């Protein structure tokens, strides 16, 4: 397949429904090339499973587009704390190339909501993160797995408990195309000192 599309909203309330076998992510986009996941404006509603697995994982893939999707991680499931042993990100991108998140909206993510690690080419555009449990968008670590060619544009980050955006490992090796954070709206973030 080249494109995976949602045809209706998806609701799950337990780890067994919201995760794959052995708490694998609900949606795996691993080791793929040139794929599109199109939500078609639909919503994935998750409940208790949010604390057990990623909603989406992109690992070892290139040229991946996730678009037109809403992920609601559940207002009533508690956010993670620093002492929480396992708190998987809602969207996890690792060791990938050219991943674009477009018109995608995530509500009530529990920990580090969008986590980008060791990726070459990542764009988060026309999207939003609201009510994030710890960090909204986290990009790598400069010593261990920095990511390059990062663009965060025309997006909204609202009511994140700590940092809305944390760029701890974002760089560019092309002076003409720097890491770009532009045209975003940040509102009422870092209201809880974590």
């Amino acid at each position: 397949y080249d494109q995976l599309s949602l045809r209706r909203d998806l609701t799950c309330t337990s780890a067994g429904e919201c995760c794959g076998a052995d708490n694998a992510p609900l949606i795996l986009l691993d080791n793929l090339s040139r794929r599109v996941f199109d939500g078609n404006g639909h919503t994935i509603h998750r409940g208790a499973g949010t604390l057990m697995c990623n909603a989406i994982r992109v690992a070892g893939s290139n040229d991946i587009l996730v678009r037109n999707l809403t992920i609601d991680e559940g207002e009533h499931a508690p956010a993670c704390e620093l002492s929480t042993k396992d708190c998987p990100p809602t969207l996890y991108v690792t060791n990938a190339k050219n991943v674009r998140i477009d018109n995608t909206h995530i509500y009530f993510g529990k920990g580090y909501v969008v986590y980008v690690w060791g990726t070459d080419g990542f764009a988060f555009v026309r999207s939003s993160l609201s009510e994030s449990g710890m960090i909204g968008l986290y990009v790598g670590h400069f010593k261990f797995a920095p990511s390059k060619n990062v663009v965060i544009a025309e997006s909204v980050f609202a009511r994140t408990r700590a940092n809305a955006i944390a760029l701890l490992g974002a760089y560019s090796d092309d002076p003409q195309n720097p890491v770009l954070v532009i045209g975003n709206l940040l509102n009422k973030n870092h209201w809880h000192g974590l």
Side-chain angles (χ1 to χ4, degrees):
Y1 63 91
D2 293 324
Q3 180 166 312
L4 176 65
S5 299
L6 283 184
R7 300 177 82 178
R8 61 180 59 96
D9 288 357
L10 171 68
T11 300
C12 58
T13 57
S14 69
E17 294 175 345
C18 295
C19 301
D22 297 321
N23 292 331
L26 178 65
I27 297 163
L28 287 170
L29 299 172
D30 290 2
N31 303 309
L32 300 171
S33 294
R34 296 178 300 281
R35 298 296 200 275
V36 174
F37 179 71
D38 193 334
N40 287 310
H42 293 294
T43 301
I44 297 173
H45 299 276
R46 301 200 316 156
T50 61
L51 300 176
M52 303 304 294
C53 68
N54 313 112
I56 300 173
R57 183 179 74 199
V58 179
S61 296
N62 61 71
D63 300 317
I64 301 295
L65 171 61
V66 176
R67 67 182 179 201
N68 306 325
L69 177 67
T70 298
I71 302 173
D72 179 357
E73 294 284 70
E75 179 178 5
H76 301 294
C80 295
E81 300 294 340
L82 289 177
S83 60
T84 304
K85 184 178 178 184
D86 294 314
C87 189
T90 301
L91 173 58
Y92 182 37
V93 179
T94 182
N95 299 310
K97 186 170 184 175
N98 298 328
V99 176
R100 182 179 178 91
I101 310 303
D102 191 349
N103 192 30
T104 295
H105 310 280
I106 303 174
Y107 299 94
F108 301 105
K110 303 308 172 190
Y112 288 42
V113 178
V114 176
Y115 194 105
V116 182
W117 192 255
T119 292
D120 179 1
F122 175 79
F124 187 87
V125 296
R126 297 181 305 162
S127 297
S128 66
L129 299 176
S130 299
E131 308 292 345
S132 299
M134 293 180 84
I135 300 226
L137 173 57
Y138 174 86
V139 180
H141 190 283
F142 73 99
K143 285 185 180 179
F144 304 113
S147 294
K148 66 180 180 176
N149 303 319
V150 174
V151 174
I152 303 165
E154 301 174 28
S155 295
V156 175
F157 299 85
R159 297 175 302 283
T160 304
R161 288 171 77 205
N163 301 77
I165 302 170
L167 300 177
L168 291 155
Y171 75 100
S172 173
D173 52 10
D174 179 0
Q176 300 302 315
N177 294 298
V179 170
L180 185 62
V181 180
I182 188 168
N184 299 294
L185 174 64
L186 286 85
N187 185 36
K188 297 183 180 177
N189 295 289
H190 218 302
W191 55 267
H192 187 338
L194 290 170

